[in-house]
Amino acid sequence: MRDAIARALFRVLDIFLRTHQRPPGRHTAHHLQYADSPQPTPSRAWDRPWPGPNSQQARDIFRAEEALRLDPDRRERYYATAWAEHGYDYPYVAPGVHQVRTGGAS
C-alpha cells in the first residue's frame, strides 16, 4: 500500500513541479530528427588495405642471391637496408644495435 501511495504522490509532484523530465522516446519527432543523420562508422584495421609490402617484394628481398652469400649479421643488415629502400621498417636485431620503436600495432 505504501508503494502505491508513494508512486501516486511522486506522479502528482512530477506533474506540478516538472523537475523530473524523461528523455525523448524513440518515437518522438525529436528523436527521429537526429536518428536519420548519418553516424560516423568506426575505422577498423581490417577495413583498410594492408600498408606493408606484397609477397613478391618480400620474396625478392629474402631470396636475393647477394644476401644468401653473406654471413648472418651482414645478411640481416642487407635485409634492413633493402626494406628501408622500399620505405618499410625491418626490426634489425644484432649485438650492439639498439632500435627504438617508432609506432605500435593499431
Side-chain angles (χ1 to χ4, degrees):
M1 182 71 178
R2 277 187 296 172
D3 292 336
I5 295 172
R7 269 187 264 136
L9 181 62
F10 180 72
R11 284 189 180 181
V12 169
L13 290 176
D14 187 36
I15 291 171
F16 287 121
L17 299 177
R18 289 288 177 198
T19 57
H20 177 268
Q21 294 215 351
R22 292 183 180 177
R26 290 186 298 174
H27 301 290
T28 61
H30 182 266
H31 176 77
L32 294 175
Q33 173 188 3
Y34 293 107
D36 293 337
S37 62
Q39 300 294 326
T41 57
S43 176
R44 298 183 319 170
W46 297 110
D47 292 339
R48 296 186 304 267
W50 177 253
N54 59 30
S55 62
Q56 185 60 41
Q57 287 174 326
R59 268 190 233 104
D60 292 343
I61 291 172
F62 288 121
R63 293 182 181 172
E65 289 291 327
E66 59 268 16
L68 297 177
R69 288 182 254 135
L70 299 173
D71 60 285
D73 287 339
R74 288 187 179 154
R75 188 180 309 133
E76 286 294 314
R77 210 172 295 145
Y78 173 84
Y79 292 155
T81 305
W83 285 117
E85 287 173 354
H86 286 8
Y88 302 112
D89 287 335
Y90 180 78
Y92 175 63
V93 180
V97 175
H98 305 287
Q99 285 192 342
V100 177
R101 291 192 179 263
T102 57
S106 305

